[in-house]
Amino acid sequence: MKIAIASDHGGFDLKEKILTYLKAQNISVDDLGTHSTDSVDYPDYAHKMAHYILNKKADLGILICGTGVGISIAANRHKGIRAALIYNNFVAEMAKKHNNANILVFGGRTMPFEDVISYINTFLNTSFEGGRHQTRLNKIETEE
């Protein structure tokens, strides 16, 4: 599995910790930026990640901004992206089981690192159920 990760300045510190953790787990990770706490615009990183996932350069994306809200809104503007703002283990499980999310989103200023790692592990250890859930995902892609 290959994971891509990106953040704005508000998510930079958490991004760096997650990046270190994932590499220690021998997971292949592409860092799409930002590379400092200098102010940047979160939509730039959301769009970059969406294109990266849609072009199949990674199997899963992780996006982080201050709260996770703005960057998830921007990412979800792209057809084929299912960016889920994860805030507990149940949501992480359901984001995979029922929504087959392809981008996990976290708040760098609102979520402790240890919790985020737990949510990532829950997601990675859960399988998509398909069936009626795939039917629902298909409706997301076809409805105008």
Side-chain angles (χ1 to χ4, degrees):
M1 165 172 282
K2 179 182 268 191
I3 297 176
I5 190 167
S7 72
D8 72 354
H9 55 283
F12 174 75
D13 292 335
L14 181 58
K15 177 184 73 87
E16 291 298 299
K17 290 176 183 176
I18 295 169
L19 185 60
T20 299
Y21 172 82
L22 292 174
K23 286 182 176 180
Q25 302 304 307
N26 293 315
I27 296 174
S28 177
V29 186
D30 290 341
D31 183 355
L32 305 183
T34 191
H35 301 291
S36 75
T37 57
D38 294 343
S39 183
V40 295
D41 297 328
Y42 64 82
D44 296 338
Y45 294 91
H47 298 317
K48 185 176 186 177
M49 177 65 75
H51 292 293
Y52 209 78
I53 295 299
L54 292 171
N55 288 316
K56 302 186 184 321
K57 293 181 180 179
D59 303 300
L60 177 68
I62 296 174
L63 285 172
I64 310 152
C65 69
T67 63
V69 175
I71 208 162
S72 65
I73 291 170
N76 278 315
R77 305 274 305 164
H78 296 265
K79 186 175 182 175
I81 293 299
R82 293 174 307 282
L85 179 57
I86 307 297
Y87 52 88
N88 65 36
N89 279 307
F90 178 74
V91 171
E93 180 182 359
M94 292 299 108
K96 182 62 174 221
K97 272 187 177 179
H98 292 187
N99 306 118
N100 203 20
N102 50 14
I103 298 176
L104 302 180
V105 184
F106 302 107
R109 295 178 178 150
T110 61
M111 300 178 182
F113 169 71
E114 295 78 14
D115 291 351
V116 169
I117 294 305
S118 177
Y119 308 156
I120 291 169
N121 286 327
T122 295
F123 184 88
L124 293 176
N125 290 308
T126 301
S127 298
F128 177 53
E129 290 182 348
R132 72 183 192 277
H133 305 296
Q134 184 61 57
T135 301
R136 293 169 183 161
L137 295 181
N138 293 344
K139 287 183 176 187
I140 292 171
E141 296 304 317
T142 58
E143 189 64 27
E144 292 296 319

